[in-house]
Amino acid sequence: MTSPPLPGVTLTTHLLINPSHRSIDKALFARVDALLNSMTDAQMKAYLSDTVYLERQRFYADGVTDSDESAAIEGLAHGIHDGPEAMRKAAQVLVKSYSHEIHNRFSERTFGAAMKLAPGALKRLLAPAERGAWRWPDFAKGDHIQVQGPVDKIRALSKTHTLVVAPTHVSNLDSPLVGYALHMAGLPPCTYGAGLNLFSNPAMSFFMARLGAYTVDRRKRHRLYKDVLKAYSTELIARGAHSLFYPGGTRSRSGQLEPHIKRGLLGTAIAAWQEGLQSGNEKPEVLVVPCTLSCSLVLEAETLIEDFLAGQGKSRYIITDDEFSHPTAVLKFVRQLLDLNASMVVRFGEPLDLIGNRVNESGQSVDGSGRSFDRRKYVCDSKDVVVADAQRDRVYTNHLATSLCRAYREDSVALSTHVAAYAGWSCLVERYPHLDHYQRVLLAPFERWVDRTRMLAAIESLLDQIAQKVSDGEMQSLLHEGPDRAEKTLTDAVAAFACFHSRRTLEFEDWRILVDPKLSLYYGNRLSGFDLQIGDES
């Protein structure tokens, strides 16, 4: 059958990036050199010595004895002993290596070709099968994937502003999902950083690498590498490339919305904005677009909650082999997930300036009363000259981070799986009030049940509270209404959970509901922080 035409922009991007290594290398050399020149000799030695120490540790742990990277690190070690000039030269060799690693996979030619092929490929991937034929989802009815928010406003602003899309991070499938949502909303594509481990999936690696993704190796934990990444991000935004990055830094292990976010990459946006103002760029303005992802199911839920419980209170490790590493698991998950109505919601929030204020239709910053003001006064003197002030910029970035976290909460969409899982976990807490989280998740199989009547009462109470919070503008929902809403919510959730996971999050058994504590905790955590109660919870 013939599919209806896709809404959206012409499949080109306004990327102003010269894809040659020479151009990128030169820009990063200049930025890192300026950073090193701002240090005293002692500070630079300590900064680069930390790089050598941490990289040697990584090589030892990985069993690396001879590689281009290890040779560059040993060259830096020698440079540290030979004085400031030798240190700078050795650091530039390492910066060049990192630049190639980060930028190497991007192909402007393949990017253009892939954008032309994207609608057909995405249609085949994201449309569920029906009676042996492909059926294009009816987004007007709200099934499968919903794209919400002020997309007309954002689309208009994208023509005069550089956008930084800042989504919540749920799964390794988030970047393709957001890319698809951008296309469906008629918004331009974005460049984005993708963890090196994501390229282990051969089905996704080729396209991720050429659809604006640049490589991020999270095993490199030293400041020099992080500063190179920041310089790269600043350069992209300064050149007018719409960008996407996850302020949370990594997937939410617990299933919760990000209560706190990392400031590093957010700071690159304010730096690029000021550079554009200072250089007289024709279009210097940069806006941040919050993007909240709400999913009925999460591919890696079992792995993520295990990691959260194992590492709570400790430094989290990078998962390199989870469900995303297996192409067949990804395809199975996508197929089954998209047989559910409204299974994923991508909600774009109100655009923000780089201080965290909302903006009006023309992109002007507005205060709480809706009055517009000139945000350039935040960073310029009376003669409209940019004044450098790192401490001030950190304060502004903190304001932006707070505004993003607030937007994530207000734009979070409660789904049936979230409500039922929250009720299931809460009922377990009610049954076993003297156990802590770890003891509850280790309950024996015969202990993991709750009374169905009590479960339905808990869901009914949650639906009332969520409806009130939606009315107050504190969150969103796509939940059932009417006299049988609790029963429908539970039935929908049980059916959804039966689609994919090896363990059933919730399952019917006569008058009882069988509850998997770990997965119920994970999915229910989506509603944690909203002060929802079903009774006295210890």
Side-chain angles (χ1 to χ4, degrees), residues 342-414:
S343 54
M344 293 184 283
V345 183
V346 180
R347 186 175 179 87
F348 296 103
E350 285 290 339
L352 304 170
D353 68 19
L354 296 171
I355 294 92
N357 304 297
R358 290 191 174 185
V359 301
N360 59 21
E361 299 291 335
S362 61
Q364 295 176 306
S365 300
V366 295
D367 60 21
S369 302
R371 293 172 295 189
S372 63
F373 59 91
D374 185 0
R375 57 178 168 265
R376 292 176 299 177
K377 299 301 182 184
Y378 279 109
V379 296
C380 297
D381 61 18
S382 58
K383 298 180 181 180
D384 283 339
V385 176
V386 175
V387 178
D389 188 333
Q391 183 177 2
R392 173 205 65 200
D393 292 347
R394 283 193 292 272
V395 172
Y396 290 164
T397 302
N398 287 339
H399 285 311
L400 175 58
T402 300
S403 295
L404 277 173
C405 289
R406 181 169 57 249
Y408 292 155
R409 285 174 54 83
E410 293 174 354
D411 291 333
S412 178
V413 180

Side-chain angles (χ1 to χ4, degrees), residues 157-219:
L157 290 172
S158 71
K159 299 174 182 177
T160 54
H161 297 70
T162 300
L163 302 182
V164 173
V165 179
T168 57
H169 203 359
V170 180
S171 165
N172 282 332
L173 290 172
D174 290 348
S175 293
L177 174 60
V178 175
Y180 182 69
L182 288 169
H183 174 70
M184 290 303 301
L187 298 172
C190 297
T191 62
Y192 63 96
L196 191 63
N197 59 303
L198 301 191
F199 291 89
S200 63
N201 184 333
M204 303 292 292
S205 176
F206 179 85
F207 291 101
M208 284 178 59
R210 290 161 175 81
L211 292 179
Y214 55 89
T215 307
V216 178
D217 188 350
R218 295 193 178 95
R219 298 171 304 168

Side-chain angles (χ1 to χ4, degrees), residues 7 9 16 30 50 60 69 105 116 133 138 141-142 178 180 192 198 236 250 265 270 285 412 419 446 452 480 509:
V9 296
L16 305 178
D50 180 67
Y60 178 78
E69 273 193 338
R105 299 168 185 262
K116 292 177 182 178
D138 187 350
K141 294 181 179 179
V178 175
Y180 182 69
Y192 63 96
L198 301 191
L236 294 182
T250 187
L265 287 178
I270 197 168
E285 295 296 337
S412 178
V419 174
F446 66 87
R452 179 168 178 162
H480 289 289
E509 187 185 78

